[in-house]
Amino acid sequence: MSKEIDPGACPVSREEPVSREEPMSREEPGVAPSRTLRFWLDPANIAVRLGQAGPVVRTKTGPAVAFQVNDPSLIRKVGCGEEIFQFWSADPCLRGFAENGFPGAEGQAHRDRRALMKPALAAPRLTDLGPSVRDSTERLIADLPTDRPVDIPVEMSRLVAGLVIETVLHSAISPDTLTALARARSVLSARVFWTYALSPWPWVPVPRRRAFRRAFATLNEAAREVYARHRPDADGNDVVSVLKRASEDRPDVALHDVRALLFAGIEATASTLSWACYELGRHPDHQAAIRAEGDAVLGTDAPADTIRPGLMPFTAGFVKEVTRLHGIPFLVRRPRHATHVGDQPVPAGALVTLPLGALRRDPARYARPDEFDPLRWSPEARPPLSPAALLPYGIGPRYCPGAAASDILVPVALASLVRSRTLRTATTGRTVRVSLDLTPTPKGLAMVATPREPCPPAPGQPPHEQAAPVRRH
């Protein structure tokens, strides 16, 4: 449902062309990053230099000193060392956003809150999530226009918000609030990013204050609706029921936790599905392969225990490859006191970045690292790759509590979407940039989602074998 969302997750300098068929004019980024920031934020650039830069690199941008950790073992040590390294959302500059929710808690209070939610979000409890995700996806995408381009990040935010609310939080909100929440996501995300990014310079005004206040009010209204319209599971052990029981004397705490789960679930998952749509537009053969798997697994008469990503290996690999190329470029930590990272002394409060994007493009680990190739995750691929190396849900004590739900929700929702619609890029030659949000999201991605056209099988060929993906070399 929600990855570890990090304010460092914004590749400002990267631009992706929708099509190379026509010459294109590139729009200049709204913010011109320094050379230091370009080094941090370009995963391919960092990956090439990993072996040259050393395990820890000290950089400086104005008065802000930062340290980039390039060694995988040190990355895990920093990411897991909550006693020494502070997570971004616990920073005082974000207290107004986190309030009493679990993301802003630290130490034992944070561990206790996560332990409370863990059984409700654990994989054994979510075995029947697939059918509800399929059904909710089909209902939510029924409103997608067929006669005009749609804004993919907004529509994926609406889809994910509805899925998280209906299938994970067991609740509902009004259609108007759902639409408003989908449009508020990018405003909330950008505001939190800028609040944290500009914290070393408190005199610099954070942009879009009024828009953020309206978006934050929308998020609060959505959380209140989820809280009020919650439908408990029969055993009363779903995550919202658990939070309510544990906070009977302080309902505001449970409400803030619901808001945190809602925002985090939409933020990261909407980004993943938006980039998935982008890659589907670039690779129609992959779109056909996902559709074939969906037809074989997601039928309305399929038993609940068969609707799971494990039976859709290409779709699951496609999602992993989207995460590898478009996932959060790096995590951020700050040491609570002066310490050492490897042999490098690091002062208290300095920015420590963990470049996950560089690890995901490391040529020593991935053949053709800049190529989008879902088949590298095939069970038959040799040598086999470990999905854990992607660190898709963060690391250490802040590992995403909704990881098990997300592992089901994203592939099933993507396959359900492709079974119903055919996605194609609205305008060839248009540049897709990356937004300045908490998680990298395609900016300016408009696509047409036309109803699926039936494709009869070739003579003697079962329907599920029609669309074998083509490996690109």
Side-chain angles (χ1 to χ4, degrees):
M1 179 181 66
S2 59
K3 298 175 178 61
E4 178 182 1
I5 302 175
D6 209 290
C10 182
V12 217
S13 62
R14 186 178 66 180
E15 296 185 353
E16 299 275 0
V18 170
S19 171
R20 294 181 175 87
E21 298 172 357
E22 303 174 15
M24 64 196 75
S25 60
R26 291 184 178 270
E27 179 186 357
E28 289 299 319
V31 176
S34 68
R35 290 184 179 180
T36 300
L37 285 176
R38 286 185 185 275
F39 181 83
W40 284 351
L41 298 172
D42 183 350
N45 184 31
I46 299 174
V48 171
R49 291 168 170 75
L50 276 177
Q52 307 170 5
V56 183
V57 179
R58 183 182 186 274
T59 60
K60 188 172 183 181
T61 305
V65 175
F67 298 84
Q68 178 181 291
V69 183
N70 295 327
D71 181 83
S73 62
L74 290 178
I75 286 176
R76 290 189 177 276
K77 181 177 180 180
V78 171
C80 295
E82 191 179 34
E83 295 77 11
I84 300 174
F85 296 95
Q86 183 182 48
F87 183 63
W88 71 272
S89 66
D91 195 285
C93 72
L94 296 176
R95 192 161 290 154
F97 185 82
E99 294 185 328
N100 294 324
F102 73 91
E106 293 192 89
Q108 192 60 45
H110 176 257
R111 289 190 288 271
D112 289 346
R113 206 69 183 166
R114 288 176 62 92
L116 181 71
M117 295 185 291
K118 185 176 180 180
L121 295 173
R125 186 177 177 83
L126 302 175
T127 53
D128 295 334
L129 191 63
S132 59
V133 171
R134 176 201 59 194
D135 297 343
S136 293
T137 300
E138 292 174 354
R139 185 182 59 78
L140 287 163
I141 64 176
D143 296 332
L144 275 179
T146 61
D147 57 346
R148 64 181 185 274
V150 297
D151 185 324
I152 286 297
V154 171
E155 291 300 335
M156 291 303 103
S157 296
R158 186 180 71 87
L159 171 62
V160 171
L163 289 175
V164 170
I165 290 167
E166 292 178 9
T167 68
V168 179
L169 301 180
H170 298 277
S171 189
I173 61 175
S174 69
D176 289 344
T177 304
L178 181 63
T179 299
L181 181 60
R183 297 190 178 281
R185 185 212 61 81
S186 64
V187 177
L188 294 166
S189 183
R191 170 69 182 205
V192 175
F193 168 79
W194 281 112
T195 299
Y196 190 84
L198 294 175
S199 58
W201 307 280
W203 61 88
V204 178
V206 178
R208 304 190 69 183
R209 290 178 183 271
R210 291 182 181 178
F212 171 76
R213 285 196 292 268
R214 292 193 295 268
F216 194 53
T218 298
L219 177 62
N220 279 327
E221 175 59 27
R224 285 192 292 268
E225 286 192 37
V226 169
Y227 191 89
R229 300 172 66 176
H230 167 240
R231 302 182 298 270
D233 264 2
D235 62 1
N237 289 325
D238 60 278
V239 65
V240 177
S241 294
V242 168
L243 292 173
K244 284 183 174 182
R245 280 199 305 272
S247 307
E248 290 180 353
D249 55 337
R250 292 200 61 190
D252 61 306
V253 175
L255 186 59
H256 292 159
D257 282 341
V258 169
R259 184 180 70 192
L261 290 171
L262 182 58
F263 175 68
I266 299 170
E267 171 66 18
T269 310
S271 171
T272 300
L273 282 176
S274 296
W275 283 118
C277 290
Y278 167 76
E279 294 294 352
L280 287 174
R282 297 176 63 216
H283 304 285
D285 53 330
H286 295 340
Q287 191 164 176
I290 291 174
R291 175 175 294 164
E293 282 193 338
D295 287 344
V297 174
L298 301 181
T300 55
D301 57 347
D305 60 350
T306 65
I307 300 180
R308 59 181 190 270
L311 296 179
M312 298 186 292
F314 183 82
T315 306
F318 186 94
V319 173
K320 292 183 181 73
E321 189 70 348
V322 168
T323 300
R324 190 184 70 82
L325 285 182
H326 302 293
I328 51 176
F330 56 85
L331 306 179
V332 172
R333 298 290 188 268
R334 292 187 191 274
R336 303 174 189 277
H337 50 76
T339 186
H340 280 75
V341 179
D343 295 331
Q344 173 70 53
V346 178
L351 198 68
V352 178
T353 63
L354 313 178
L356 305 188
L359 296 180
R360 297 179 187 132
R361 294 181 185 239
D362 186 352
R365 183 172 301 187
Y366 301 101
R368 308 175 311 281
D370 294 326
E371 177 184 331
F372 185 84
D373 181 12
L375 290 178
R376 72 174 78 241
W377 301 100
S378 167
E380 292 79 29
R382 294 293 180 269
L385 296 175
S386 170
L390 292 173
L391 299 176
Y393 300 112
I395 188 172
R398 296 284 175 165
Y399 186 84
C400 167
S406 182
D407 281 341
I408 299 172
L409 189 149
V410 177
V412 173
L414 180 62
S416 300
L417 171 63
V418 172
R419 285 187 76 214
S420 175
R421 300 297 181 96
T422 297
L423 297 169
R424 60 179 177 83
T425 303
T427 306
T428 59
R430 183 176 181 181
T431 296
V432 173
R433 293 180 51 222
V434 182
S435 61
L436 285 166
D437 294 347
L438 286 177
T439 48
T441 303
K443 184 177 182 180
L445 178 58
M447 302 186 77
V448 178
T450 57
R452 173 185 179 179
E453 296 180 2
C455 181
Q461 183 183 34
H464 65 278
E465 294 179 359
Q466 292 178 62
V470 177
R471 179 180 289 275
R472 284 173 162 72
H473 297 281

